[in-house]
Amino acid sequence: MAMNRMMECVPNFSEGRDLQKIEKILDCFRGRDGVKLLDYSRDEDHNRLVVTTVGEPEPLADAVVDAMGTAAQLIDMTRHQGQHPRMGATDVVPFIPVKNVTAEDAVALSKEVGRRAWEEHGIPVFLYEKSASAPNRENLASVRKGQFEGMAEKMKLPEWKPDFGEDAPHPTAGVTAVGARMPLCAYNVNLATSDLTIADRIAKKVRHIGGGLRYCKAMGVALADRGIVQVSMNLTDYTKTSIYSAFEMVAMEARRYGVNVVGSEVIGLVPQKALIDCAEYYLQIENFSMDQILENRIAE
Amino acid sequence: MAMNRMMECVPNFSEGRDLQKIEKILDCFRGRDGVKLLDYSRDEDHNRLVVTTVGEPEPLADAVVDAMGTAAQLIDMTRHQGQHPRMGATDVVPFIPVKNVTAEDAVALSKEVGRRAWEEHGIPVFLYEKSASAPNRENLASVRKGQFEGMAEKMKLPEWKPDFGEDAPHPTAGVTAVGARMPLCAYNVNLATSDLTIADRIAKKVRHIGGGLRYCKAMGVALADRGIVQVSMNLTDYTKTSIYSAFEMVAMEARRYGVNVVGSEVIGLVPQKALIDCAEYYLQIENFSMDQILENRIAE
């Protein structure tokens, strides 16, 4: 499928058990020009469905709004039970720029989808992350605090008036958080030691809250079967905090303990540019364009 | 265009002046399922057309055989004049593996196209490069030596009997070389000196014929406007001689002269994997799969 502009969306729905309902939600992303259903996973304990989909911005917005309406029809939050915190039939809808679209485009699309969710389906929406209208709405956990059962009361507070819709949740579909974020890179660096305290100490220096890299979350993890430890990281904006910066900073901190890096791991999906940026850095490449990659020329 | 398996082909035709004929040849690659015309360039002095196209192997073979027939109808080699050496209306047809196809697949496809060029259009074919049936046929310049005008005599020699067809050129379309090669990476490393002899000496150590890297051709080049020099390289099989190996070996040799690397350049198109390999090397990534790249999952 040739997509010139490509946005990713990973909507979470509050249904992880009823396969008929799950299929009806997934169908909203199938057989549409300019939209591709990449992956989905459901969890019975969480009673939750996570969908990974990509598309041209406008067809993708249509599919998401459609799925939000379908979820509102099928899922009754007054009866929903599950381990994962949730506040709506469609719980959270993050848009992630992938190709030839910017973070600003993702913010604009999230606002369009939020507005349409209210206008077309009567679902109130909070904008969160990069789309947030106030600092206290950036963090999803803060927005969702109180969950479905506490929303009627929370939304009466002036600081929790929704960005779209009335000051009350949809009676059965609740509230949805819609926003824009950058693609996440899950990246781990493995160390030649079995001492977990070393990985923990390095993690604390490398991550943002410890004074380290702005878009890096990190923790120490023991790999018991290999007898080593790793610094396990989430890079929340690889365009600002690069994979090579995280790698080099872990190696630098490890030197203090006389510990070598034995390898690193990219977990799950990663945007092409996150790795090409590393090749460009180490090879000191001048004036490279992503259009020079043969496969990218073909995909156009 | 979604292509699961992807082969590249860069056929050269002996017509660089007559736009009507050129368009008819290009039309063979247009509007075909599973084939994409990526680029073409014609040169009036060389009187030559170079086409860059990609496709699923079978549709691509059909397009190429079709274009060879069209070129044979339109181009009369007995009247052809141009600066570039040539022996056929379709002069040379290299197949290059790009995605989910191997060098062996490219060899097999070149043999199929060679056979069909003879059977369907009466054009005798030499297999060259990785498809060569004898060591003296690997090098294109050796195969083409004597050019169109000398082929009738050359092909009577037992060692120059064609791989497909009779021991004589097509009367007007001549002979074609068909073969498989790996994608070429044109890659230059820039040095902090204006002394061209240093770049030349490094080039001689890095390249294959000087005892250097097996799939590396290199020469020194002066960048007069920047007051520096570069080692200009062609990497003829990046899966064996990596970009990072070439970069590190130039840097290593430059140290002998106290000269630093100031940067490097990727010229033209490069396969994605050639750069991802470099990120993997420098980041010491363990167990990476190209399917982890988001864009590759979408292209499937």
Side-chain angles (χ1 to χ4, degrees):
Chain A
M1 184 178 301
M3 294 185 198
N4 192 25
R5 304 174 71 216
M6 197 185 295
M7 193 75 76
E8 186 182 0
C9 187
V10 188
N12 288 216
F13 302 94
S14 296
E15 179 57 70
R17 297 169 186 166
D18 185 325
L19 291 179
Q20 268 194 307
K21 291 181 180 177
I22 287 170
E23 283 302 312
K24 282 186 181 158
I25 293 168
L26 295 174
D27 280 344
C28 300
F29 300 99
R30 288 174 173 140
R32 262 179 208 267
D33 278 349
V35 175
K36 184 161 176 176
L37 175 63
L38 272 190
D39 196 16
Y40 63 92
S41 66
R42 64 184 186 94
D43 188 293
E44 300 208 356
D45 295 328
H46 288 179
N47 198 7
R48 193 174 180 85
L49 170 70
V50 179
V51 174
T52 305
T53 179
V54 291
E56 300 263 0
E58 285 308 316
L60 184 62
D62 290 343
V64 170
V65 172
D66 190 11
M68 290 176 79
T70 302
Q73 282 172 11
L74 298 175
I75 300 169
D76 181 355
M77 292 304 291
T78 64
R79 295 159 174 241
H80 183 273
Q81 303 240 315
Q83 285 173 12
H84 198 288
R86 77 288 177 274
M87 63 180 184
T90 305
D91 194 52
V92 54
V93 179
F95 286 97
I96 305 134
V98 172
K99 196 176 99 178
N100 292 337
V101 289
T102 62
E104 289 70 37
D105 295 333
V107 169
L109 200 66
S110 71
K111 289 182 178 173
E112 182 198 325
V113 166
R115 180 183 53 74
R116 288 179 56 187
W118 169 249
E119 291 178 2
E120 298 176 25
H121 304 303
I123 303 164
V125 165
F126 287 114
L127 295 172
Y128 81 113
E129 284 258 354
K130 283 185 191 290
S131 308
S133 55
N136 65 327
R137 298 183 178 201
E138 286 177 18
N139 185 282
L140 177 62
S142 305
V143 172
R144 195 161 52 196
K145 197 172 175 190
Q147 299 196 47
F148 173 73
E149 292 75 8
M151 278 297 142
E153 195 164 347
K154 179 176 182 173
M155 289 168 74
K156 288 180 199 155
L157 301 174
E159 68 268 31
W160 290 109
K161 185 177 153 57
D163 291 286
F164 298 101
E166 290 172 7
D167 306 356
H170 183 288
T172 56
V175 191
T176 304
V178 182
R181 64 168 173 82
M182 293 303 288
L184 204 76
C185 296
Y187 180 64
N188 305 331
V189 177
N190 298 334
L191 301 173
T193 177
S194 60
D195 186 346
L196 183 57
T197 60
I198 290 179
D200 273 331
R201 281 188 200 144
I202 294 172
K204 282 175 184 156
K205 294 292 279 185
V206 168
R207 67 194 185 191
H208 181 232
I209 52 168
L213 299 165
R214 171 69 184 89
Y215 294 99
C216 178
K217 300 173 182 180
M219 59 186 280
V221 172
L223 302 185
D225 53 330
R226 293 175 66 182
I228 61 171
V229 298
Q230 72 181 187
V231 179
S232 178
M233 294 178 279
N234 270 326
L235 306 180
T236 55
D237 186 347
Y238 75 87
T239 65
K240 307 269 176 63
T241 295
S242 302
I243 291 178
Y244 67 80
S245 312
F247 175 82
E248 293 293 342
M249 194 160 171
V250 169
M252 182 190 76
E253 289 294 332
R255 254 175 253 142
R256 171 193 299 258
Y257 307 100
V259 169
N260 288 325
V261 168
V262 298
S264 77
E265 304 169 353
V266 172
I267 306 299
L269 294 181
V270 63
Q272 175 182 242
K273 193 160 191 316
L275 289 174
I276 298 296
D277 283 347
C278 297
E280 282 188 67
Y281 168 77
Y282 288 108
L283 297 171
Q284 300 174 236
I285 298 177
E286 303 168 358
N287 300 322
F288 187 73
S289 155
M290 295 297 280
D291 288 338
Q292 289 181 253
I293 294 177
L294 183 62
E295 288 86 343
N296 295 358
R297 288 280 296 271
I298 296 159
E300 274 163 18
Chain B
M1 185 177 300
M3 295 186 196
N4 191 25
R5 304 175 72 217
M6 197 184 297
M7 195 74 79
E8 186 182 2
C9 187
V10 188
N12 288 216
F13 302 93
S14 295
E15 179 57 68
R17 296 169 189 167
D18 186 324
L19 292 179
Q20 268 194 309
K21 292 181 180 177
I22 287 170
E23 283 302 312
K24 281 185 182 159
I25 293 168
L26 295 174
D27 280 345
C28 300
F29 300 99
R30 289 174 173 142
R32 265 179 205 267
D33 278 349
V35 175
K36 183 161 178 175
L37 174 64
L38 273 191
D39 196 15
Y40 63 92
S41 66
R42 65 184 187 93
D43 188 292
E44 299 208 356
D45 296 328
H46 288 179
N47 198 5
R48 193 174 180 86
L49 170 71
V50 179
V51 176
T52 305
T53 179
V54 292
E56 299 264 358
E58 286 308 316
L60 184 63
D62 290 342
V64 170
V65 172
D66 190 11
M68 291 176 78
T70 301
Q73 282 172 12
L74 298 175
I75 300 169
D76 180 356
M77 291 305 292
T78 64
R79 296 160 173 238
H80 184 272
Q81 304 239 315
Q83 285 173 14
H84 197 288
R86 77 287 177 275
M87 63 180 185
T90 304
D91 194 54
V92 54
V93 179
F95 286 97
I96 305 133
V98 172
K99 196 176 99 178
N100 292 335
V101 289
T102 63
E104 290 68 37
D105 294 333
V107 169
L109 200 66
S110 71
K111 290 182 179 173
E112 182 199 325
V113 166
R115 181 183 53 74
R116 288 178 57 186
W118 169 249
E119 291 179 2
E120 298 177 24
H121 304 303
I123 304 164
V125 164
F126 287 114
L127 295 171
Y128 82 112
E129 284 258 356
K130 284 186 190 289
S131 308
S133 56
N136 64 328
R137 299 184 178 200
E138 285 176 18
N139 185 282
L140 177 62
S142 306
V143 173
R144 195 161 51 194
K145 197 174 176 187
Q147 298 195 48
F148 173 72
E149 292 76 8
M151 278 298 141
E153 194 163 346
K154 179 175 181 173
M155 290 167 75
K156 288 179 198 154
L157 302 172
E159 68 268 31
W160 289 110
K161 185 177 153 55
D163 292 286
F164 298 102
E166 290 173 7
D167 306 356
H170 182 289
T172 56
V175 191
T176 303
V178 182
R181 64 167 172 81
M182 293 303 286
L184 203 78
C185 295
Y187 180 64
N188 305 330
V189 178
N190 298 334
L191 301 174
T193 176
S194 59
D195 187 347
L196 184 57
T197 61
I198 291 178
D200 273 330
R201 281 188 201 144
I202 295 172
K204 281 175 184 156
K205 294 293 278 185
V206 168
R207 67 194 186 191
H208 181 232
I209 51 169
L213 299 165
R214 171 69 184 91
Y215 294 100
C216 177
K217 300 174 182 178
M219 60 187 279
V221 171
L223 303 185
D225 53 329
R226 292 176 63 182
I228 62 172
V229 298
Q230 72 179 188
V231 179
S232 177
M233 294 178 279
N234 270 326
L235 306 180
T236 56
D237 186 347
Y238 76 86
T239 65
K240 307 272 176 60
T241 295
S242 303
I243 292 178
Y244 67 81
S245 312
F247 174 82
E248 292 293 341
M249 193 160 172
V250 169
M252 182 191 76
E253 289 294 332
R255 253 175 254 143
R256 171 193 298 260
Y257 307 101
V259 168
N260 287 326
V261 168
V262 297
S264 77
E265 303 169 354
V266 173
I267 306 298
L269 293 181
V270 62
Q272 174 181 242
K273 195 162 189 316
L275 289 174
I276 298 295
D277 283 347
C278 297
E280 281 189 68
Y281 169 77
Y282 288 108
L283 297 170
Q284 300 173 237
I285 298 177
E286 302 169 358
N287 301 320
F288 187 73
S289 155
M290 293 298 278
D291 288 338
Q292 289 181 254
I293 294 177
L294 183 62
E295 287 87 342
N296 295 357
R297 288 280 296 273
I298 297 159
E300 273 164 17

